[in-house]
């Protein structure tokens, strides 16, 4: 099994979910609503990390996208074509 760090939830409604996640039980719709409505972002992330490490080990994946969109910008003396680079992190 994995190593579980000491972690204290701010939202005590997440404590029963922690036990279900560790036991590899399927979460219910109500459990999902509890996660959605929780103000404890670190707690939700902690639960997600338990599942992520179970699936992928200690590997972390990041996606870095660059979208280039050519657009037309009308100017006072004609139309110039500009290239916009959008970096989404």
């Amino acid at each position: 099994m994995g190593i579980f760090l000491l972690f204290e939830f701010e939202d005590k409604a997440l404590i029963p979910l922690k036990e279900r996640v560790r036991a590899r039980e399927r979460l219910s719709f109500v459990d999902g609503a509890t996660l959605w409505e929780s103000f404890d972002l670190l707690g939700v992330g902690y639960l997600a990390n338990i599942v992520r490490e179970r699936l992928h080990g200690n590997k972390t994946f990041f996606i870095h996208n660059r979208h280039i969109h050519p657009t037309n910008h009308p100017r006072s003396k004609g139309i110039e074509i500009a290239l916009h680079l959008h970096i989404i992190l």
Side-chain angles (χ1 to χ4, degrees):
M1 258 334 178
I3 298 173
F4 297 110
L5 300 175
L6 295 176
F7 184 83
E8 187 172 333
F9 291 100
E10 293 291 322
D11 183 357
K12 302 306 179 196
L14 298 179
I15 293 172
L17 291 154
K18 176 182 72 171
E19 299 309 319
R20 285 201 187 116
V21 167
R22 285 188 178 171
R24 298 178 180 221
E25 294 178 13
R26 184 176 178 91
L27 299 181
S28 69
F29 179 84
V30 174
D31 295 334
T34 301
L35 290 167
W36 179 259
E37 294 172 356
S38 178
F39 60 88
D40 188 359
L41 184 59
L42 289 177
V44 172
Y46 175 78
L47 295 174
N49 189 59
I50 291 171
V51 176
R52 183 193 64 80
E53 286 185 352
R54 181 184 312 139
L55 295 173
H56 305 290
N58 199 22
K59 297 177 186 171
T60 301
F61 302 94
F62 295 94
I63 298 173
H64 184 86
N65 293 324
R66 291 184 185 193
H67 299 280
I68 299 174
H69 303 281
T71 59
N72 293 329
H73 287 279
R75 303 280 184 191
S76 60
K77 294 186 179 182
I79 298 176
E80 297 178 12
I81 297 177
L83 193 64
H84 286 274
L85 178 63
H86 299 278
I87 301 176
I88 301 172
L89 299 176

